[in-house]
Amino acid sequence: EKYCEAPPSGWCCVDKVVIPATPEECKKKGGVWFPTKAEAEKYCEAPPSGWCCVDKVVIPATPEECKKKGGVWFPTKAEAEKYCRAGAGLPDLIIKEISLNRKCQVVVTVANAGPGMVPDDVWAVHTPGSSSVYLYVNGKKWGGRTIWGFDPGKTLQPPGGVARCVSRLTVGAEAEITAVIDHTAQVAETDEGNNKMVKKLRCAPK
């Protein structure tokens, strides 16, 4: 509610220039958003370098440059070359299951069902629009958790990888839970239409 009443402003690094902007404005400009000017200036002065696999060719690039070229970014040249040599296609993020744990918290199991690896910038680049699992309760927005937040070990990254997102959302009486993976469309996938699951859950009395 506080966020909706007054969305946080901040600072955006666009083409190595720092400008004041909300997260949404920054994303539209193709920049990287930060809550403080100091962080934005630090990023603009020395954006993280790395390596990009584009059309099976490895080139040096920042995560943003790599994304613009339609490639997959890696922090090391070795990882990028390994990915390029494999000729892997795109990843495919899916919701495998929505369940409750013993505390009646909603747990979402996600998987990479595609032939390719989830790009490293999902974990390396932290922004308000980072790829995440987002939840809805009876059709209303609730909130979510970023992939880099609930899967720091990158178990979701390789083909067949699976990770569990334990939310703070608890269910008492029956509720319809909708879970969406990558709702901000940060990851290019083989199938963009299978990122959602809807399930009715009820917490059984102890």
Side-chain angles (χ1 to χ4, degrees):
E1 287 173 345
K2 183 179 178 182
Y3 181 96
C4 279
E5 288 168 7
S9 59
W11 299 86
C12 184
C13 173
V14 185
D15 297 327
K16 297 187 178 181
V17 176
V18 175
I19 59 172
T22 65
E24 292 72 26
E25 292 168 342
C26 187
K27 186 176 181 181
K28 288 178 182 178
K29 294 177 184 293
V32 179
W33 183 87
F34 296 89
T36 67
K37 190 175 182 180
E39 290 177 288
E41 288 176 340
K42 182 179 179 182
Y43 180 89
C44 270
E45 288 171 6
S49 60
W51 299 86
C52 185
C53 173
V54 186
D55 297 328
K56 298 185 180 181
V57 176
V58 174
I59 59 172
T62 65
E64 291 70 32
E65 292 168 342
C66 186
K67 188 174 182 180
K68 289 178 182 178
K69 294 177 185 293
V72 179
W73 184 85
F74 296 88
T76 68
K77 189 175 183 180
E79 289 178 289
E81 288 177 339
K82 181 180 178 181
Y83 179 88
C84 273
R85 282 198 303 270
L90 295 173
D92 185 20
L93 297 175
I94 64 169
I95 304 291
K96 285 194 70 174
E97 183 60 78
I98 306 173
S99 58
L100 296 177
N101 62 15
R102 292 182 179 180
K103 296 180 181 179
C104 294
Q105 294 170 300
V106 174
V107 178
V108 182
T109 304
V110 296
N112 175 11
M117 293 177 66
V118 178
D120 214 68
D121 57 2
V122 167
W123 287 269
V125 181
H126 298 179
T127 70
S130 290
S131 187
S132 64
V133 167
Y134 199 89
L135 297 173
Y136 298 77
V137 182
N138 297 322
K140 295 181 180 180
K141 291 181 178 180
W142 182 83
R145 292 190 66 190
T146 58
I147 292 175
W148 56 262
F150 69 79
D151 182 30
K154 301 183 182 180
T155 59
L156 184 63
Q157 187 171 43
V162 177
R164 293 172 74 248
C165 171
V166 180
S167 75
R168 294 180 180 177
L169 173 61
T170 58
V171 172
E174 185 175 89
E176 182 181 85
I177 305 298
T178 301
V180 184
I181 181 73
D182 192 40
H183 72 296
T184 52
Q186 299 296 302
V187 181
E189 304 178 55
T190 56
D191 185 353
E192 300 285 357
N194 61 354
N195 291 20
K196 182 172 76 171
M197 178 182 284
V198 181
K199 190 171 182 179
K200 287 186 177 181
L201 298 175
R202 180 192 294 273
C203 191
K206 296 293 185 290

